[in-house]
Amino acid sequence: MTIDQNINVVRQEFESFPDWEDRYMHIIALGKGLAPYNEVHLTDEFKVKGCQSQVWLHAAIVGGRVRFEAESDALIVKGLITILLRLFNDRTPKEILEAPSDLVARLGFEQHLSQSRANGVASVLKQVKLYALAYSMVRA
Amino acid sequence: MSDVGAIVKPTFDAMKLKAEFPILARTVHGNVPLVYLDNAATSQKPRAVIDAITKYYECSNANVHRGGHALGAEATALYEDARSIVASFIGAQPNEIIFTRGTTESINLVAASWSSMMGETLKGCTIVVTEMEHHANIVPWQMACEKTGAVLKVIRVHDDGTLDMEHARELINDTTAFVSVVHVSNTLGVENDVRTICALARSVGALSLVDGAQSIVHHAINVTSLGCDFFVFSGHKLYAPTGIGVLFGRANVLESLPPYQGGGSMILDVTFERTTYNDVPVRFEAGTPNMEGAVGLAAAIRWFTALDLEALRVHEAELSERLLRDLNTIDGMRVFGPQTLHAGIASFVIDGMHAHDLGTLLDEQGVAIRTGHHCTMPLMKRFGVTSTARASIAAYTTHDDLDVLSAALLRSVRLLR
């Protein structure tokens, strides 16, 4: 599936919850399931700026594809990051860079989440793209 | 009040008061009723204040201290009346009141003006603040230290959130030139013994400033009995509009300070060779001031002082006590600050839960609280947290509001556990 197709899947999944409580239960459950983060990377260097809670994002390139790992001290943020990483993990830098710029809106986050949450997701997304940009330049 | 309170408690009808605040009738996230508990950040405005601002623009707007026309005179009278109303509200004289943008600008004005006057004579002197200051009462003093070579000293906070007065006595000594302390902490709600601190400052020949941003709305303020040289607050936490604040300075101290900003109004005579400055207080009010703000602040003070303040204090104390009690029933709850002295402010964290997560889930249920470091990062560090959740009450807060908060908190905790 392309990133574009995945966005629609996430959006539909998100909208299948009729009320806020179910929606957040889903996000929180995702957050609890986020893959463990390597503590070595729990440093300021990997901290994402622009988030109200603390978020760390680390990336490595494996076989031409970007592998992300992330951590946050806030559970809802972890859940949202899980959704983002589902879209971007194991993609090529080119695929990531070509992802639509209005992605946060298309995911329905702006509509269904508080503004500060949507802004936080946008900050993580920006960092995801910066990693992809860096890796695309290394390869070129 | 004590024996009256024991027999017949004055009753305060917060529900009726709430009806005077149009915004409190609105809903959020579709049709969820709003419960506004972020009053330590800013208060909502009653109809009386909104109407006063509208009326000012509909009837009296003109630039003050300038035009010789009827509107100019009317606007000037309203603006100067506002100054007198503020002065009598805090037990000062009108010429001791300077209008600013808010608490932050008031502190910056004092720090910048005083430090530029003192210059390098401050080298090796100390400026004393506390560990619980808002950034607005830290950064301007750091800037003054950088400029002059003065050293910033910080009075410690005990584990229970109260100020270490022994440490205050130690730090305020012959080397101290200025003491700037918060009256009521915006994070902990704790009230500091600023009277003693100002007396300590005076005894060593230092100037003192009290940050009254939070106390102005929860305590009766008299600057003479506090014994401070400066007292600062914002209008917007006192049911007045944003963008208007107050700097009280003792007349003889203000007289000695050089201007903070240059421009219109603050001068007597300008030539390219030499400018002479106007008298206090307009010397410190360069440019066209916030006239609607001053009118709105005057309306807010009139409205506020017409309330039964004795009954209001009882109501707020009851709510504060109940808020703490409710919070403490939740498993894993940690409320910061002393358990008795909260001025309607409760800062808390719950084990294993991030304050932002709580804030998000409360918001979905219509409950507005603040989450974050509350512009007190050193205090957060002191307590080993990066953020807390903070609920804060106002005159219009009802027991029903706290019922909603309690239920919403329990629901949020259930989701996050």
Side-chain angles (χ1 to χ4, degrees):
Chain A
M1 244 194 297
T2 64
I3 290 180
D4 235 26
Q5 288 166 328
N6 254 331
I7 290 172
N8 290 331
V9 171
V10 170
R11 191 193 176 102
Q12 276 163 20
E13 194 178 284
F14 218 60
E15 285 179 347
S16 70
F17 301 106
D19 66 21
W20 70 271
E21 205 163 351
D22 294 324
R23 199 157 54 238
Y24 277 99
M25 257 161 76
H26 171 66
I27 296 171
I28 289 163
L30 287 175
K32 287 178 176 166
L34 180 65
Y37 185 82
N38 187 345
E39 279 185 23
V40 178
H41 301 141
L42 219 54
T43 57
D44 278 354
E45 190 188 344
F46 300 110
K47 220 168 179 177
V48 181
K49 291 183 183 69
C51 296
Q52 282 195 355
S53 48
Q54 303 189 87
V55 176
W56 294 264
L57 184 70
H58 176 262
I61 192 137
V62 183
R65 289 171 185 278
V66 189
R67 173 88 37 93
F68 293 100
E69 53 162 1
E71 177 63 303
S72 173
D73 52 356
L75 206 44
I76 293 172
V77 175
K78 278 174 91 161
L80 296 172
I81 291 172
T82 306
I83 294 172
L84 268 193
L85 294 196
R86 241 165 67 186
L87 296 176
F88 291 110
N89 241 343
D90 293 318
R91 301 275 181 187
T92 65
K94 186 168 178 287
E95 280 179 299
I96 295 171
L97 288 172
E98 283 171 357
S101 54
D102 60 345
L103 184 135
V104 179
R106 285 183 50 190
L107 283 169
F109 283 3
E110 283 176 355
Q111 205 182 326
H112 297 295
L113 297 175
S114 73
Q115 190 60 46
S116 67
R117 290 306 188 191
N119 290 346
V121 172
S123 299
V124 177
L125 179 63
K126 189 173 155 199
Q127 200 57 34
V128 163
K129 289 205 166 189
L130 282 174
Y131 273 118
L133 183 66
Y135 285 127
S136 73
M137 283 154 83
V138 169
R139 289 171 56 78
Chain B
M1 181 198 145
S2 55
D3 51 0
V4 176
I7 302 159
V8 204
K9 262 190 193 167
T11 53
F12 186 82
D13 193 345
M15 198 65 100
K16 195 172 148 216
L17 195 77
K18 202 173 200 175
E20 294 184 40
F21 290 74
I23 202 171
L24 296 176
R26 66 160 287 179
T27 58
V28 291
H29 302 306
N31 56 359
V32 186
L34 171 70
V35 172
Y36 186 78
L37 292 171
D38 193 16
N39 295 287
T42 197
S43 63
Q44 300 302 346
K45 319 307 168 198
R47 175 59 71 197
V49 170
I50 299 168
D51 286 350
I53 297 167
T54 306
K55 192 175 159 211
Y56 172 75
Y57 281 121
E58 284 179 353
C59 305
S60 313
N61 178 51
N63 210 326
V64 296
H65 302 144
R66 288 163 172 83
H69 48 74
L71 283 188
E74 223 172 274
T76 303
L78 284 172
Y79 185 72
E80 291 305 324
D81 275 355
R83 199 189 301 279
S84 302
I85 287 167
V86 169
S88 65
F89 183 55
I90 60 171
Q93 296 302 314
N95 65 342
E96 295 176 312
I97 301 299
I98 295 160
F99 284 125
T100 63
R101 277 193 298 136
T103 305
T104 299
E105 190 179 48
S106 297
I107 298 173
N108 273 279
L109 191 162
V110 174
S113 173
W114 172 77
S115 63
S116 79
M117 176 180 79
M118 300 297 282
E120 292 196 348
T121 62
L122 286 179
K123 209 171 193 131
C125 291
T126 63
I127 295 171
V128 177
V129 297
T130 78
E131 207 172 8
M132 66 171 85
E133 299 306 326
H134 188 283
H135 297 162
N137 200 23
I138 299 173
V139 184
W141 300 111
Q142 287 174 325
M143 289 158 70
C145 286
E146 251 170 54
K147 217 160 54 181
T148 61
V151 182
L152 195 68
K153 294 283 180 185
V154 184
I155 304 169
R156 281 188 303 255
V157 168
H158 288 303
D159 286 344
D160 71 355
T162 57
L163 206 57
D164 184 342
M165 289 301 282
E166 279 312 303
H167 196 218
R169 285 189 179 84
E170 199 181 299
L171 287 186
I172 301 171
N173 55 39
D174 290 346
T175 64
T176 307
F178 208 110
V179 180
S180 192
V181 291
V182 67
H183 194 179
V184 167
S185 159
N186 70 309
T187 301
L188 303 170
V190 60
E191 182 189 358
N192 292 319
D193 181 3
V194 288
R195 197 168 284 138
T196 299
I197 293 171
C198 292
L200 284 171
R202 189 155 295 178
S203 72
V204 296
L207 290 174
S208 60
L209 181 149
V210 173
D211 170 357
Q214 298 294 338
S215 62
I216 192 71
V217 70
H218 295 295
H219 297 280
I221 299 295
N222 183 297
V223 289
T224 311
S225 74
L226 284 181
C228 54
D229 295 299
F230 300 99
F231 184 90
V232 299
F233 65 94
S234 300
H236 72 92
K237 296 194 208 279
L238 184 65
Y239 311 103
T242 51
I244 186 78
V246 169
L247 163 61
F248 154 82
R250 270 200 304 121
N252 60 334
V253 180
L254 282 182
E255 289 293 346
S256 70
L257 291 181
Y260 170 55
Q261 291 178 331
S265 267
M266 53 79 72
I267 48 84
L268 279 181
D269 185 47
V270 177
T271 66
F272 282 110
E273 289 71 38
R274 188 170 174 277
T275 292
T276 49
Y277 302 126
N278 209 334
D279 291 335
V280 171
V282 284
R283 185 196 298 166
F284 295 103
E285 293 178 358
T288 297
N290 182 354
M291 300 169 300
E292 63 155 271
V295 168
L297 176 57
I301 292 174
R302 267 199 210 99
W303 172 85
F304 185 69
T305 50
L307 300 176
D308 181 347
L309 288 179
E310 192 189 331
L312 171 62
R313 306 296 183 212
V314 172
H315 172 68
E316 289 188 341
E318 257 176 32
L319 285 180
S320 300
E321 202 180 298
R322 172 163 170 212
L323 176 58
L324 280 173
R325 210 171 45 234
D326 288 356
L327 290 176
N328 281 320
T329 60
I330 294 171
D331 256 6
M333 174 63 68
R334 178 182 175 200
V335 181
F336 295 88
Q339 300 295 304
T340 47
L341 289 169
H342 292 71
I345 294 172
S347 225
F348 59 93
V349 292
I350 302 174
D351 271 353
M353 281 165 220
H354 198 286
H356 289 310
D357 285 343
L358 283 174
T360 299
L361 297 177
L362 288 177
D363 176 53
E364 288 289 343
Q365 297 167 83
V367 181
I369 61 155
R370 171 88 176 262
T371 59
H373 52 61
H374 317 296
C375 297
T376 55
M377 285 170 96
L379 188 65
M380 293 289 113
K381 200 173 161 200
R382 158 72 179 82
F383 285 110
V385 290
T386 54
S387 60
T388 71
R390 181 188 70 186
S392 51
I393 62 162
Y396 44 68
T397 306
T398 61
H399 281 281
D400 289 352
D401 290 335
L402 296 191
D403 286 344
V404 175
L405 171 69
S406 281
L409 254 180
L410 284 175
R411 212 162 162 190
S412 307
V413 166
R414 219 168 37 232
L415 281 169
L416 288 166
R417 278 237 162 92

